[in-house]
Amino acid sequence: MIKISPSILSSDYSILGAELKRMEDCGADMLHIDVMDGHFVPNITLGAPIVKCIRKSSSLPFDVHLMISDPYKYIPDFAKAGSDIITFHYEADSDIDETIDLIHSLGKKAGLSIKPKTPAEVVFPYLDKLEMVLVMTVEPGFGGQSFMADMMPKVSAVRAEAEKRGLDTDIQVDGGISGSTIGIAAKAGANVFVSGNAIFSSDDAAATISEFKAIAGE
Ligand code: DX5
Ligand code: ZN
């Protein structure tokens, strides 16, 4: 199932609640919240108290992308704040199995993300218990970067492995997704598409989201 997850990194933070509501009205399937700590990535965004505040602005699932070191320590706060899917990085310094188990024990869906230089195969040992795998299509840290088409073999490798095991794992791509790249990612096997700049810079976000769904669904 195709899902579009607008990244609020490109939104107007002074009216964050209204931006979430606008995305919901424009046909978004979930809302991608980028959490950066200035340590795991060279940028800082927001923490759990803000997630808690904006929770009341939308009933869409909150797709929280933790680009932070030691995610295990902070996951309970993000769960309590109203996250629905919590994705952490393979490269962050938490035990992967324990971190997935923690997310599940808090009643949330677990995602595992890999940076561009990390091979796809590292997620295979955890695939059976993950709801989502996020294959980064840019170096994490900033919006508005160019899509890395050379990540597509990784997307295909995860999709093939999931299918081999009879799993319908969500495979998410994040970074540089636009009308000209979403089709490439969909063809490779992705079904959840994060998009910040392309949606928020659009004059007609609803049209952009429905165009994305049409292209990805082909
Ligand atoms: C980058 C973030 C992305 C970012 C994507 O580290 O994880 O979610 O907002 O933005 P665009 O779609 O502009 O590349
Ligand atoms: Zn992200």
Side-chain angles (χ1 to χ4, degrees):
M1 190 197 168
I2 303 296
K3 293 173 209 159
I4 306 294
S5 192
S7 166
I8 64 160
L9 189 61
S10 296
S11 70
D12 180 346
Y13 275 54
S14 70
I15 49 161
L16 202 44
E19 291 280 72
L20 297 195
K21 180 75 182 55
R22 181 166 75 90
M23 288 301 124
E24 183 165 356
D25 293 344
C26 286
D29 299 295
M30 51 175 84
L31 295 163
H32 186 82
I33 300 171
D34 285 304
V35 178
M36 305 187 189
D37 65 354
H39 184 256
F40 183 74
V41 289
N43 198 3
I44 299 175
T45 52
L46 49 84
I50 297 202
V51 175
K52 187 181 174 198
C53 287
I54 58 176
R55 183 60 280 188
K56 56 184 178 298
S57 302
S58 172
S59 55
L60 288 181
F62 274 9
D63 162 31
V64 175
H65 178 193
L66 298 178
M67 286 163 276
I68 62 174
S69 301
D70 200 5
Y72 190 91
K73 185 172 167 187
Y74 299 97
I75 281 167
D77 291 343
F78 284 97
K80 221 176 292 159
S83 310
D84 296 286
I85 306 164
I86 301 179
T87 298
F88 66 100
H89 270 266
Y90 175 84
E91 306 84 358
D93 42 13
S94 286
D95 180 276
I96 308 289
D97 266 315
E98 279 177 13
T99 307
I100 296 169
D101 293 346
L102 173 66
I103 296 169
H104 286 156
S105 75
L106 295 162
K108 309 300 179 183
K109 291 182 177 170
L112 183 61
S113 180
I114 48 173
K115 297 206 287 184
K117 290 190 185 76
T118 304
E121 290 70 26
V122 304
V123 307
F124 290 0
Y126 314 101
L127 205 50
D128 292 270
K129 60 181 192 176
L130 287 169
E131 279 78 23
M132 189 164 83
V133 172
L134 165 53
V135 177
M136 290 303 300
T137 44
V138 296
E139 280 297 339
F142 300 92
Q145 303 181 75
S146 298
F147 177 76
M148 298 168 75
D150 52 337
M151 295 299 112
M152 294 306 98
K154 287 165 57 174
V155 172
S156 299
V158 179
R159 178 57 74 206
E161 185 65 21
E163 276 177 359
K164 198 170 98 188
R165 299 187 196 186
L167 303 169
D168 66 343
T169 314
D170 279 330
I171 301 180
Q172 184 175 57
V173 282
D174 180 8
I177 296 296
S178 68
S180 54
T181 58
I182 193 167
I184 300 167
K187 206 177 262 172
N191 69 305
V192 185
F193 305 91
V194 176
S195 178
N197 193 51
I199 291 176
F200 282 94
S201 69
S202 167
D203 293 337
D204 188 344
T208 301
I209 290 172
S210 59
E211 182 203 346
F212 281 8
K213 286 184 183 175
I215 298 171
E218 273 169 11

